[in-house]
């Protein structure tokens, strides 16, 4: 799916968080890195319309995130920094089914799709468990299943391996690598980006590099050393 930023600018109050951004993203694996507060989350939230551009436009698959807000948002799934907060219902299978019920699907199809997505991510054993008792890795997988069951074209993940131990980090890295969906990942986990098609580096609300992983990570290391 094409993601197009046209002079997209974000101000919070009077303060600029994202300077005018012109960018067209079509790759399947897109990484976003930068120091804390550099504008990464703001840029990602523009894509699913959670943040509206103060000036300029953002389109996803040709849909404007302001004018075609609902349709545009349906194209994109978002896994937030603390995904346990986005689980609405206490039991995983119910949380997964919730998004499908909202789309008016029949009971039998909801059950079938819920079972299929649980199997896809190897978490059928978690179906009846309480999401607030999950480990960090289980929470990530549960949230990914809940979001992807509705069939978005693009999945955005905000720091998905943050606070995970080495085993779970590897599990989530592999899960992301295997997703057939287009993926945009904000991360401080540079190993995750090694196989990516394109990496964007943000610095103080501006795009500082837009390159393959090796080159982008070199730029990021230089920025971080300042
Ligand atoms: N809702 C908001 N209201 C006011 N200022 C905000 C808001 N959200 C973000 N900001 C500010 O905008 C700037 C960019 O923040 P953003 O969260 O996009 O950065 P980030 O690169 O994702 O940071 P981190 O790595 O810490 O998550 C920061 O100065 C932040 O304080």
């Amino acid at each position: 799916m094409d993601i197009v930023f046209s002079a997209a600018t974000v101000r919070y109050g009077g303060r600029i968080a994202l300077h005018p951004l012109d960018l067209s993203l079509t790759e399947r694996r897109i990484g976003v890195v930068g120091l804390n507060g550099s504008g990464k989350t703001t840029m990602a939230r523009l894509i699913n319309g959670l943040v509206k551009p103060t000036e300029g436009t953002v389109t996803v698959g040709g849909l404007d995130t302001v004018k075609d807000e609902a349709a545009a948002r349906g194209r994109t799934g978002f896994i937030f920094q603390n995904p346990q907060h986005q689980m609405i219902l206490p039991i995983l299978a119910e949380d997964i089914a919730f998004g499908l019920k909202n789309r008016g699907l029949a009971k039998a199809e909801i059950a079938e799709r819920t079972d299929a997505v649980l199997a896809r991510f190897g978490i059928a054993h978690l179906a009846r468990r309480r999401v607030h008792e999950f480990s960090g890795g289980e929470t990530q997988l549960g949230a990914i299943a809940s979001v992807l069951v509705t069939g978005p074209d693009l999945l955005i993940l905000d720091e998905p391996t943050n606070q995970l131990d080495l085993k779970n980090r590897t599990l989530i890295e592999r899960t992301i690598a295997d997703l057939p969906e287009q993926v945009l990942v904000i991360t401080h986990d540079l190993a995750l980006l090694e196989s990516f098609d394109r990496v964007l580096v943000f610095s103080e609300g501006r795009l500082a590099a837009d390159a393959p992983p090796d080159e982008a990570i070199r730029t990021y290391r230089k920025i971080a050393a300042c």
Side-chain angles (χ1 to χ4, degrees):
M1 180 170 73
D2 285 11
I3 307 158
V4 180
F5 296 79
S6 304
T9 311
V10 177
R11 286 192 183 82
Y12 294 116
R15 219 173 133 254
I16 196 147
L18 194 69
H19 290 268
L21 181 63
D22 286 290
L23 198 57
S24 174
L25 302 170
T26 54
E27 291 74 9
R28 217 163 65 80
R29 292 285 178 270
I30 303 156
V32 181
V33 292
L35 299 180
N36 294 132
S38 57
K40 306 181 298 295
T41 299
T42 299
M43 178 263 186
R45 286 181 176 218
L46 278 172
I47 299 173
N48 80 335
L50 270 180
V51 168
K52 302 285 189 295
T54 317
E55 288 143 46
T57 59
V58 180
T59 61
V60 293
L63 298 166
D64 187 295
T65 59
V66 176
K67 288 187 201 140
D68 314 306
E69 183 176 0
R73 187 165 297 170
R75 306 289 297 271
T76 302
F78 205 118
I79 310 281
F80 295 92
Q81 273 188 35
N82 298 302
Q84 65 275 24
H85 297 157
Q86 73 188 94
M87 310 288 241
I88 293 164
L89 294 177
I91 303 295
L92 180 61
E94 290 170 2
D95 191 74
I96 292 172
F98 181 76
L100 298 173
K101 273 188 198 138
N102 280 347
R103 282 169 168 72
L105 266 65
K107 245 185 171 178
E109 189 174 358
I110 292 174
E112 199 177 299
R113 284 219 214 168
T114 300
D115 288 349
V117 83
L118 287 163
R120 176 182 169 191
F121 292 105
I123 51 172
H125 60 290
L126 299 178
R128 306 306 311 167
R129 290 258 317 272
R130 302 184 74 78
V131 294
H132 293 283
E133 292 166 4
F134 284 0
S135 71
E138 289 168 345
T139 304
Q140 275 295 337
L141 287 178
I144 290 173
S146 265
V147 168
L148 289 186
V149 77
T150 62
D153 297 302
L154 167 72
L155 182 66
I156 300 175
L157 301 109
D158 197 348
E159 301 189 25
T161 57
N162 202 14
Q163 294 180 353
L164 296 184
D165 62 27
L166 186 58
K167 186 170 171 228
N168 279 297
R169 178 178 287 222
T170 307
L171 172 69
I172 297 301
E173 282 173 0
R174 286 198 187 132
T175 302
I176 292 170
D178 289 345
L179 291 176
E181 288 87 355
Q182 187 182 24
V183 166
L184 182 138
V185 185
I186 301 173
T187 188
H188 299 291
D189 173 4
L190 302 181
L192 178 62
L193 300 173
E194 276 166 15
S195 61
F196 275 37
D197 303 312
R198 183 170 179 181
V199 176
L200 311 173
V201 183
F202 281 85
S203 176
E204 299 180 353
R206 294 178 202 275
L207 185 63
D210 174 3
D214 284 1
E215 190 186 331
I217 289 167
R218 269 200 301 278
T219 305
Y220 178 45
R221 287 190 196 284
K222 277 188 205 149
I223 292 168
C226 291

